[in-house]
Amino acid sequence: MAKEKRGDGTVGKALDVLNEVAEIGSPVRFSSLLKTSKYPKATLYRLLQTLLNQDMLSYNDEEQTYKLGLKLVRMAHAAWLQSSLAPIALPFIDELSEKVGETVHLAQLDNGQVLYVDKRNPSSPIEMYSQAGKVGPAYCTGVGKAMMAFLDEDALSRVISKQAFFKYTDFTITSEKQLRKELTIIKKQGIAFDKQEHEVKIICISSPILSSKGRVIGGLSITSSIDIHSLESLQEFKPQLLKTSELIGKEAGAWNFPEQNN
């Protein structure tokens, strides 16, 4: 008998179903799950019961819907505290956002992509894709490029191999050659820009957050719109951005924050 692939067992299947419920983002009926699930009716029901028994899901009898359970919420919060920069960076990004009056993003690299772990909005926030918990592309976001520019060559090659180079706007980088050329400039300057590469009208200035050993542990960005700022005027925030990144890096060292998962 062929060896079962990792993730094909009961635990892997249950996690698949748990992920389906989580991605829907709202309470969901069994019939709706069945339409999109890769598992047959009996298997799906059994997996849902297992998740309910473990308090990973909860069930509303009146509405006949499933949603994420409190145990999962507690586990997610514990994981967030242990592996996210957010609790460490909290006072620093609060202060930075208040000073500059613009949106501040805190991010980490996760499997070659940008994971937004925290966000601070000004009093009149701009509508944009990025939200805490969302994943975005690294090659066409300022914070992604800022982190990539300071990776060692092996890590950078792995991250680049995971980029889709999809053309989101007329300004999107669409090749490894073009990206590497820009990353060289970013490393020299210490900052990166999003020049409407991921979303039209959205621009930002970004910097990496480095450990005392120079390893990338996150990224920070100040984001605005071309209706408010130009790329040139965003450079006024460079000293504050770099100083905040440095302070977060030092604080992360004091808390022995783990290295990035690239």
Side-chain angles (χ1 to χ4, degrees):
M1 181 181 291
K3 186 177 180 181
E4 193 173 58
K5 292 182 180 178
R6 184 180 178 184
D8 287 346
T10 301
V11 173
K13 292 175 181 177
L15 290 175
D16 282 344
V17 174
L18 187 63
N19 189 56
E20 286 181 45
V21 176
E23 288 188 341
I24 290 171
S26 59
V28 58
R29 286 175 172 266
F30 180 84
S31 57
S32 297
L33 276 173
L34 187 60
K35 289 178 182 178
T36 58
S37 178
K38 61 183 177 182
Y39 302 114
K41 183 176 182 179
T43 301
L44 178 60
Y45 181 78
R46 175 173 54 82
L47 293 171
L48 286 168
Q49 291 306 305
T50 298
L51 292 168
L52 285 172
N53 292 339
Q54 295 298 318
D55 295 326
M56 304 298 279
L57 289 179
S58 64
Y59 183 74
N60 185 307
D61 287 316
E62 291 185 5
E63 298 180 0
Q64 297 185 338
T65 56
Y66 297 88
K67 67 177 182 179
L68 299 182
L70 289 179
K71 180 185 283 189
L72 184 63
V73 174
R74 289 195 295 269
M75 290 172 65
H77 181 66
W80 180 77
L81 289 174
Q82 294 176 39
S83 63
S84 170
L85 266 177
I88 297 170
L90 179 62
F92 302 105
I93 63 173
D94 279 347
E95 184 177 355
L96 180 62
S97 181
E98 185 176 346
K99 282 182 177 179
V100 301
E102 299 290 343
T103 299
V104 173
H105 289 108
L106 179 70
Q108 294 170 235
L109 280 175
D110 186 11
N111 196 31
Q113 305 303 311
V114 170
L115 173 63
Y116 294 98
V117 295
D118 212 344
K119 178 180 182 178
R120 289 295 178 275
N121 282 321
S123 56
S124 300
I126 302 163
E127 187 173 337
M128 63 186 84
Y129 168 84
S130 54
Q131 297 290 339
K134 277 196 171 184
V135 175
Y139 68 96
C140 61
T141 53
V143 72
K145 291 184 295 179
M147 291 188 284
M148 292 174 73
F150 286 80
L151 296 174
D152 61 46
E153 181 53 40
D154 287 344
L156 177 59
S157 294
R158 287 195 299 271
V159 171
I160 288 179
S161 71
K162 297 173 183 178
Q163 305 309 305
F165 292 109
F166 176 80
K167 188 178 177 66
Y168 287 95
T169 75
D170 291 340
F171 305 95
T172 305
I173 290 174
T174 55
S175 72
E176 178 177 344
K177 182 178 180 180
Q178 186 182 5
L179 176 61
R180 283 185 174 273
K181 183 177 179 180
E182 182 159 344
L183 294 179
T184 300
I185 297 171
I186 291 168
K187 190 164 186 179
K188 289 179 180 178
Q189 295 180 340
I191 55 170
F193 291 96
D194 181 338
K195 310 164 188 174
Q196 302 185 68
E197 295 161 55
H198 188 215
E199 297 178 83
V200 175
K201 288 195 171 187
I202 301 300
I203 56 176
C204 83
I205 180 172
S206 308
S207 65
I209 299 171
L210 306 176
S211 70
S212 59
K213 297 178 181 178
R215 295 289 299 275
V216 176
I217 58 175
L220 194 65
S221 71
I222 298 172
T223 304
S224 190
S225 161
I226 60 172
D227 295 329
I228 301 171
H229 276 284
S230 65
L231 292 172
E232 290 72 23
S233 66
L234 279 182
Q235 294 198 54
E236 298 173 6
F237 299 137
K238 180 178 177 179
Q240 294 165 301
L241 178 67
L242 293 178
K243 182 62 177 178
T244 303
S245 295
E246 180 184 359
L247 290 172
I248 295 172
K250 287 181 178 178
E251 188 71 7
W255 283 83
N256 196 28
F257 184 78
E259 302 289 0
Q260 284 274 247
N261 172 25
N262 300 320

